[in-house]
Amino acid sequence: MGKVAFATAVTCAAAACAVTALVVRQRMQSSVRWARIDAVMARVDVVMRELEERCATTVGKLRQLADAMAVEMHAGLAAEGASKLKMLISYVDNLPTGDEEGLFYALDLGGTNFRVLRVQLGGKEGRIVRQEFEEVSIPPHLMIGGSDELFDFIASALARFIASEGEDFHLPTGRQRELGFTFSFPVRQISIGSGTLVKWTKGFNIDATVGEDVVGELSRAMERQGLDMRVNDTIGTLAGGRYHDKDVVAAVILGTGTNAAYVERVEAIPKWQGLLPKSGETVINMEWGNFRSSHLPITEYDQALDDESLNPGEQIYEKLVSGMYLGEIFRRVLLRLAREAALFGETVPAKLEIPFSLRTPIMSAMHHDKSPDLTVVSTKLNEVLGISNTSLQTRKVVVRICDIIAKRSARLAAAGIVGIVKKVGRARDNAREGGSQLPRMVIAMDGGLYEHYMIFSESVQSTIKEILGEEASDSVVIKMANDGSGIGAALLAASHSHYLELEQDL
Ligand code: BGC
């Protein structure tokens, strides 16, 4: 071999060595990376298994929950304070029939927004002739400030809306405008036109209003603008539902908060005091968000959320079920995975540490991601939490968490509905002629969680079937009552109108 040739051979050998070293280093790095990923996934798996186990809602457990709900309903009707379910008597004893006529207003205060609306009712033939509404968002500082400030804000928006009433709406001469007030918080009533606030929920916290008559608060703020009554949103939804379908027996709200109302026979209400209504029935606002039972699957995430909430120890069922909290439970699980299993790398994403930074609509968007590489999940993680470059495996974990939390919520809501069906159904069953078909029972449903989170609402429906069985569940129908709470309040203002009483007296 000549000198040059030898030198080339040596260079080649050196190059080959370098290439081999690079390949070996790359292989080592990649096996370290794989080992790290395996370790991450092993830790993730432990947390996920535990989450699945703690959130389990077997059909047996759901049946126990439904029974517990029915038992608590009885207890709450028996005596004040005898149950976590307040079972508030609404004194709404005339649900709309469809015959109502005239112009009615409603004010719907339920969460971060409130709505004012007007509706022109045309009786049996005309039905809802015309309606208009306006939505106003409540500045966050008013949700935790002074009572007068909040009610003044609402009253001035209402006054502006009334002032914009066009010629398409007709108020019979000599009449004052009547207003139904949907106030979506627990209120204890002694008549249809008054009610004291038991407590605030859903992020509101204004001490000065608790124990006060909220109608009084609003009336004062309205300086006697013709306010006549108030209702809870579930009762409004029930009224709205009944206006369209006479088989509506209950209403359920699954939105920012959750609650249910249903029609009860007054003779089944031992705590009723005073004169009995002619109809023999009244609507009960269950305030089921405060339901609690040892059968509820409560995890460490729920416990921590409750401890750090504005109302610790209260609204436990609501905190497991409703839209205000699902995203927050989801965030807490992700945070634990980020901290303990380094799911998103060595550093914990700062935004993930911020309470309520993950809202339920974002969770829903991720959960519904049908793309093969979960691009929506990837985009939302990036946009909302500043987490980029996630692996498909990580994104699948994220979706699995949504699934566990949303389905637990939906299944618990279904158990609550079955509890009502059992309570109402038993009474109807006793009244039924032997051998006749199970009566149709319609549940009027409202709330953004049920309306927009499809996996959630499908799960509510399939779980009702699972608990009750195919045949019995055929008679239970869930009907969306969009905007039931707003229109319903106006309809109740109509079915309880002062002018009806005056006409009857003539
Ligand atoms: C309130 C209920 C209300 C429900 C739905 C709950 O937080 O306590 O009064 O009906 O939310 O808006």
Side-chain angles (χ1 to χ4, degrees):
M1 202 189 286
K3 222 177 175 179
V4 173
F6 177 74
T8 312
V10 170
T11 316
C12 285
C17 273
V19 169
T20 315
L22 189 70
V23 169
V24 169
R25 202 166 56 239
Q26 274 173 350
R27 282 210 185 121
M28 275 173 60
Q29 276 173 348
S30 120
S31 66
V32 168
R33 204 168 49 238
W34 280 114
R36 200 185 68 76
I37 291 174
D38 283 348
V40 167
M41 283 306 158
R43 288 196 297 264
V44 167
D45 214 46
V46 173
V47 177
M48 293 300 287
R49 271 170 206 273
E50 186 195 291
L51 178 71
E52 249 157 5
E53 230 167 73
R54 300 272 152 84
C55 288
T57 49
T58 59
V59 70
K61 192 179 251 186
L62 295 177
R63 289 201 178 113
Q64 284 173 318
L65 276 169
D67 288 340
M69 184 68 86
V71 166
E72 290 298 314
M73 290 170 77
H74 279 282
L77 291 175
E80 244 18 293
S83 164
K84 284 274 171 198
L85 294 187
K86 297 205 170 53
M87 304 298 284
L88 301 167
I89 300 172
S90 69
Y91 297 89
V92 167
D93 49 25
N94 280 321
L95 285 168
T97 57
D99 293 338
E100 293 74 17
E101 275 181 275
L103 168 62
F104 296 92
Y105 273 77
L107 196 160
D108 183 3
L109 171 62
T112 44
N113 291 332
F114 75 92
R115 281 173 316 154
V116 280
L117 63 94
R118 58 180 146 248
V119 54
Q120 186 80 44
L121 299 174
K124 265 261 165 324
E125 302 301 315
R127 310 290 290 185
I128 295 176
V129 182
R130 192 164 296 109
Q131 58 173 307
E132 273 176 7
F133 76 93
E134 215 171 276
E135 193 158 299
V136 185
S137 61
I138 301 178
H141 70 273
L142 290 183
M143 294 165 70
I144 49 171
S147 199
D148 287 354
E149 283 80 357
L150 176 67
F151 283 98
D152 281 344
F153 180 77
I154 293 169
S156 63
L158 179 56
R160 273 199 307 279
F161 182 66
I162 292 174
S164 72
E165 182 184 291
E167 283 175 3
D168 293 349
F169 292 88
H170 309 287
L171 185 72
T173 34
R175 287 196 177 194
Q176 269 195 313
R177 286 177 187 78
E178 291 181 284
L179 175 85
F181 179 18
T182 295
F183 185 74
S184 311
F185 301 92
V187 168
R188 179 161 285 118
Q189 293 183 249
I190 47 160
S191 74
I192 192 165
S194 65
T196 53
L197 177 65
V198 178
K199 62 180 182 186
W200 286 104
T201 56
K202 295 179 290 197
F204 279 78
N205 194 10
I206 306 169
D207 280 348
T209 329
V210 177
E212 294 298 320
D213 175 12
V214 288
V215 180
E217 296 283 297
L218 181 65
S219 307
R220 276 191 292 280
M222 286 282 300
E223 293 170 355
R224 301 183 52 80
Q225 295 241 17
L227 174 73
D228 265 11
M229 56 172 293
R230 54 146 307 284
V231 289
N232 182 270
D233 55 350
T234 38
I235 301 169
T237 301
L238 183 59
R242 183 62 80 84
Y243 183 77
H244 296 291
D245 187 333
K246 65 177 180 11
D247 289 335
V248 167
V249 292
V252 170
I253 308 273
L254 288 163
T256 308
T258 185
N259 194 9
Y262 75 106
V263 183
E264 185 58 279
R265 293 158 306 122
V266 282
E267 74 219 27
I269 312 175
K271 72 177 177 185
W272 182 286
Q273 286 174 343
L275 289 176
L276 297 180
K278 272 198 224 120
S279 66
E281 291 182 333
T282 191
V283 175
I284 299 290
N285 166 16
M286 289 176 61
E287 282 300 328
W288 84 357
N290 203 38
F291 174 63
R292 190 164 202 168
S293 153
S294 56
H295 302 300
L296 285 174
I298 295 178
T299 65
E300 61 174 84
Y301 312 101
D302 307 307
Q303 194 57 59
L305 181 152
D306 180 43
D307 290 344
E308 292 162 32
S309 68
L310 284 173
N311 50 356
E314 288 175 21
Q315 302 291 105
I316 297 299
Y317 186 60
E318 176 160 274
K319 286 172 183 160
L320 296 172
V321 168
S322 85
M324 171 150 177
Y325 302 101
L326 295 193
E328 174 60 7
I329 303 170
F330 175 39
R331 180 194 71 86
R332 285 172 182 269
V333 178
L334 287 180
L335 183 59
R336 175 163 171 210
L337 286 169
R339 283 182 179 157
E340 289 180 21
L343 182 65
F344 303 115
E346 291 313 316
T347 45
V348 175
K351 288 193 184 154
L352 197 51
E353 308 253 15
I354 306 171
F356 291 93
S357 54
L358 244 179
R359 313 298 302 185
T360 306
I362 303 290
M363 168 178 169
S364 167
M366 295 197 202
H367 198 178
H368 289 92
D369 189 355
K370 290 279 173 298
S371 65
D373 49 358
L374 298 176
T375 38
V376 178
V377 177
S378 161
T379 315
K380 296 287 174 204
L381 284 175
N382 198 355
E383 277 174 9
V384 181
L385 298 171
I387 300 172
S388 52
N389 297 326
T390 47
S391 68
L392 182 57
Q393 212 173 1
T394 299
R395 299 198 288 273
K396 282 187 178 161
V397 171
V398 171
V399 175
R400 206 167 124 214
I401 303 169
C402 297
D403 202 57
I404 298 170
I405 296 168
K407 294 220 174 116
R408 175 184 67 159
S409 155
R411 290 173 70 77
L412 294 178
I417 294 173
V418 171
I420 301 179
V421 164
K422 285 192 165 189
K423 172 84 175 68
V424 176
R426 212 166 289 138
R428 292 184 125 203
D429 227 18
N430 293 339
R432 182 160 61 108
E433 304 280 310
S436 62
Q437 285 271 303
L438 273 174
R440 181 171 175 266
M441 278 189 262
V442 180
I443 314 285
M445 177 69 74
D446 202 0
L449 179 63
Y450 191 91
E451 193 182 348
H452 303 300
Y453 203 142
M454 297 327 281
I455 298 178
F456 174 89
S457 40
E458 280 158 22
S459 174
V460 172
Q461 289 171 29
S462 62
T463 310
I464 292 178
K465 275 204 168 54
E466 199 180 319
I467 307 176
L468 285 176
E470 283 287 332
E471 198 192 340
S473 65
D474 278 351
S475 57
V476 179
V477 180
I478 296 187
K479 252 191 174 179
M480 234 12 238
N482 279 334
D483 185 34
S485 58
I487 278 279
L491 291 170
L492 282 172
S495 67
H496 284 258
S497 165
H498 276 339
Y499 299 103
L500 282 180
E501 281 168 34
L502 292 177
E503 277 159 19
Q504 272 162 13
D505 291 347
L506 286 177

